[in-house]
Each structure stands twice: as structure tokens, then as C-alpha cells.
Amino acid sequence: MADPLHQFEIHKLIPLKLDGIDISFTNSSLFMVSAVLLTTVFLVGGMMRSQLIPGRWQSMTEITYSFVANLLDETVGLKGRQYFPFIFTIFMFILMGNLIGMLPYTFTFTSHIIVTFGLAVIAFGVATLIGFMRHGFHYFTLFVPKGAPVYMLPLIVPIEILSYLSRPISLSVRLFANMMAGHTMLKVFAGFTVALGIFGVAPLAVNTLLTAFEILVAVLQAYVFTILTCIYLQDSINLH
Amino acid sequence: MPQLDTSTFASQLFWLVICFLALYFILSYIALPKISKVLETREQTIEAKINKASLYREQAEDLLNEYEAILAKAREDAHLHYKSSASAISADVTLKQKDIIDKLSNRLHLAEQTLYRSRVEAGKEMGSIAEEIANLILDKLTGRSPRKKGA
């Protein structure tokens, strides 16, 4: 049976080195670039012949736009408008990465912990940066919950700091684990299908359902990542 | 597990940052302004049309009110007209009636006067006739001429 983790292997396509650090263009990079291009084509192409009454493609583009815009409006409010391109980039990049990964023979770059961690650090870092830019040192009051008794503060503040710092970890592990588990499961059932011969119909049926489920997970995880980023942004803008 | 192969981390992070930044700039400078412009235009168009529709509705309501006011005024005018002509006619009728009654009663009065005068005259003549007859009878019976009155 084929190794279900084989699909996560990284191959160098164009070896590159910068200052002794390996920055080769790999299959992972290829699909990142594909995600960027596909997103651009999807968004710009849909608006090519922009009309007052949209067609199908334009509708899809606009629905995606308003979906993320509403998400941001509901969690952060009007002050969050200026960060919309950032939130939208996060959403589209993860969504495209997840959805491209659902095609056979492709590589899912969101199934690598380092990529999701990088994304989480970008989201977390930008949110923290905005918090400090808006509130300065006052931003530290985020770690002091309102209405907490003073004698509890020595306990509460470290917990708050810890939970704050663990945000990028939980954010990245959630996406990575979901994508990796789903793709591994698909591969395992595909292996069963091949191994069982005629009886492989049963795991094939399961795989069909799993594929549908994985597409749902792909969209859902992009949504979850985005809404959590919005919530962190809301913390940094409004301080609770 | 390929995910834990740290030798690929640098390359993945590098390309992640490159792609993320590229997507960010493409979206914020090319794709999103276009979409937001279209959405804004649509919103404005819809709003303008709704405003126009409500304006037309207001105008229609104004026209209806005007029409109803005119109708009510016409009704009132007609009513007034009817009232005034009815009272004029009835006044005319009363006047004419009175006139006729006056004329009739005048004529009646005249007739009554004539009748009375005739009766008085007849009464007077009756006296002289009776005297004449009495004188005649006396003359015939006595052969004497009657004593003249005042004689």
C-alpha cells in the first residue's frame, strides 16, 4: 500500500540558494504561486466585464467579497474597514490553497505546519502591531480583564499573556491538522480501494463522501482562520 | 513525516511571504478596488432609483389629494348652488302667491262694496215705493189726496 504521507513530500523544482539558505522553488512554492494566480484570475476575471446586473462569474466574485466584508464588519466594525485587503488576502490564500489541494496530483501547502504557522504569525503579528500602533503601551491592558479582583491579577495576567501568545499556535495547528488528517484519510481509503480489488467499491464510496466532506472542511477552515484573525484584530482595535 | 523536515522550512517560509505579499498587493491595488467600485455603483444606482420611485409616489399622492380637493369643492359648490336657487324659487313662488291672493281679496272687497251699496239703495227705494203704494191705496180708498209730508 502506498504511503499516505507520501503526498506531503516536498520536491525541489528549481534549486535556489540565498546567502547559504536553501530557498529552492519547490512543489509547495509552485502551488502557492498557483493559488495567487488563480485568486487573481478569479477576482479580476469576474470583474472583466463588470455589469450593473452581474452574471454568474461576477456574482461569485462579488459574493466572496461581500462574505468577507460582512465577516469583518460584524466582528470588528467600521474601524476594521481599512484592514479589509489584509483579511481578504488571508481568506483567499488559504481557501485557494485548500481547494487546489482537493484536486488529484496537487500539493496542499496548507497541510504543512510551517506554512500555517507562518500564516498564523503573519495574522497574529499584524494584529499585535496594529494594537501597539493604535494604543501604545496601553495595549497591555488587554491582559487585565475588566472587573477582575486585584488579588487575582497575579494569577490572571500570566494566564492571559499565555493564552495570547498561544494564539498563533492554536491557529496554525488547527488548520494544519485538519488539512493533513483529511488528506491522509483520503489517501488511506484510496489505498484500501486499490488493495481490496472488487470489494474496493466500499472504500471508494466512503472516499466519495470524504471528498465532499473535505471540500466543506477546506472552506470551513479558511473561514475559521479568517474569523479568528478578525477577532484578534478586534481585540487590538477595540481592546475587548 | 515530511512536515517535520526542517530543511524545507526556510524555502517554504520564503515563498509563503513572497506569495502572500504578492497576493496582498494584487488584491489591494487591482482586484478589490474594482469590486468595491462596482458594488458602490450598484448601491448608488439602486438608491437613486428608489428615491425616484418614492418621488413619483409622492407626486401621485399629491395629485390624488388635489383631485379629491377639487371634487369636494365641486360638490360643495353644487350644493350651494342648489340651495340658493331653491330658496330663490321658493321666494318667487311665495311672492307671486301673495300677489294673487292680494288681487283676489281686492276684487272680493270691491264686489262686496258694490253689493252693499245696491242693498242700501234698494232699501231706500223700498221706503219711497211703499209710501207711493200707500198713498195710491189711500187715494183710491178715500179719494183724498194724501197729506203731503211736511205739509
Side-chain angles (χ1 to χ4, degrees), chain B residues 91-104:
Chain B
D92 201 30
V93 167
T94 325
L95 207 71
K96 279 194 176 146
Q97 228 165 19
K98 207 177 158 224
D99 203 31
I100 289 169
I101 286 170
D102 279 358
K103 264 184 198 162
L104 282 178

Side-chain angles (χ1 to χ4, degrees), chain A residues 126-175:
Chain A
V126 167
T128 308
L129 212 66
I130 289 168
F132 276 113
M133 270 158 52
R134 280 186 172 254
H135 305 288
F137 282 108
H138 201 62
Y139 185 54
F140 285 115
T141 56
L142 191 66
F143 303 128
V144 186
K146 266 180 217 132
V150 180
Y151 55 89
M152 288 293 280
L153 285 184
L155 192 62
I156 288 175
V157 170
I159 291 174
E160 286 283 331
I161 293 173
L162 207 66
S163 81
Y164 186 80
L165 291 178
S166 66
R167 278 175 175 182
I169 296 165
S170 69
L171 200 57
S172 57
V173 169
R174 184 180 301 109
L175 178 58

